[in-house]
Amino acid sequence: MPKATPATQALRKLGIAFKLHTYIYDSTVPSGGIGLQAAEALGVEPGRMLKTLMAEVDGNPVCVVVPSDCEVSMKKLAAALGGKSANMMRPADAERLTGYHVGGISPFGQKKRVPVAIERAALDNLTVFVNGGQRGLQIEIDPNDAAIAAGAAAHELTA
């Protein structure tokens, strides 16, 4: 498994410390359970395993990073980004926009920069795990460094 992805290259370019962790990605897991599967495979609490989702607020693309055991509140997401409505982006659109495959989307090193929102409570952890830009690759990182690297604004985003 390659250790260099656009995500890891972006973090290295910024000089941000991180550790890589690999696991066997299970392609049969429904998309909503990918983060939970990664948490279980790596023995990490689900609240520290963050999932990266692509959504749209008033038709504009956004990246959302929340704990894998939480659901995004579309109402809170829209309000946090100054919009009226939010919905999940179609997987094909998310792949085209980010340059990553679903199950491997990272908030770092995306092909096109979009606004990024991170769940505020995730910043309370010493480290979190974020997708490394490839299925089965996770980046362990200080959550504040993750927010800085992604250009993320912290908001209350979960239901």
Side-chain angles (χ1 to χ4, degrees):
M1 175 170 295
K3 302 287 191 223
T5 66
T8 60
Q9 291 170 342
L11 292 173
R12 285 186 180 110
K13 186 176 179 181
L14 293 170
I16 293 178
F18 63 92
K19 293 180 191 171
L20 292 177
H21 299 271
T22 59
Y23 68 98
I24 303 300
Y25 176 83
D26 183 353
S27 62
T28 65
V29 173
S31 63
I34 295 169
L36 293 174
Q37 188 250 336
E40 183 177 337
L42 293 174
V44 174
E45 306 86 34
R48 288 181 53 219
M49 180 67 64
L50 306 184
K51 58 186 174 183
T52 305
L53 307 169
M54 297 305 292
E56 295 175 326
V57 174
D58 294 344
N60 297 309
V62 298
C63 180
V64 186
V65 183
V66 297
S68 63
D69 58 349
C70 296
E71 293 292 322
V72 175
S73 164
M74 292 298 154
K75 193 175 203 174
K76 288 181 180 179
L77 175 60
L81 296 178
K84 293 182 181 181
S85 67
N87 59 284
M88 294 305 299
M89 187 180 288
R90 293 179 332 139
D93 293 340
E95 289 182 342
R96 187 174 52 257
L97 185 74
T98 64
Y100 295 119
H101 293 292
V102 170
I105 295 177
S106 178
F108 316 120
Q110 291 187 3
K111 191 163 63 172
K112 181 177 181 197
R113 287 191 60 93
V114 299
V116 180
I118 189 169
E119 172 59 41
R120 181 173 285 130
L123 301 180
D124 294 337
N125 294 294
L126 290 178
T127 64
V128 292
F129 290 73
V130 181
N131 198 294
Q134 183 177 344
R135 293 171 178 162
L137 181 65
Q138 292 290 323
I139 294 171
E140 183 178 5
I141 188 170
D142 176 293
N144 294 294
D145 286 345
I148 291 166
H155 300 280
E156 291 181 20
L157 301 168
T158 56

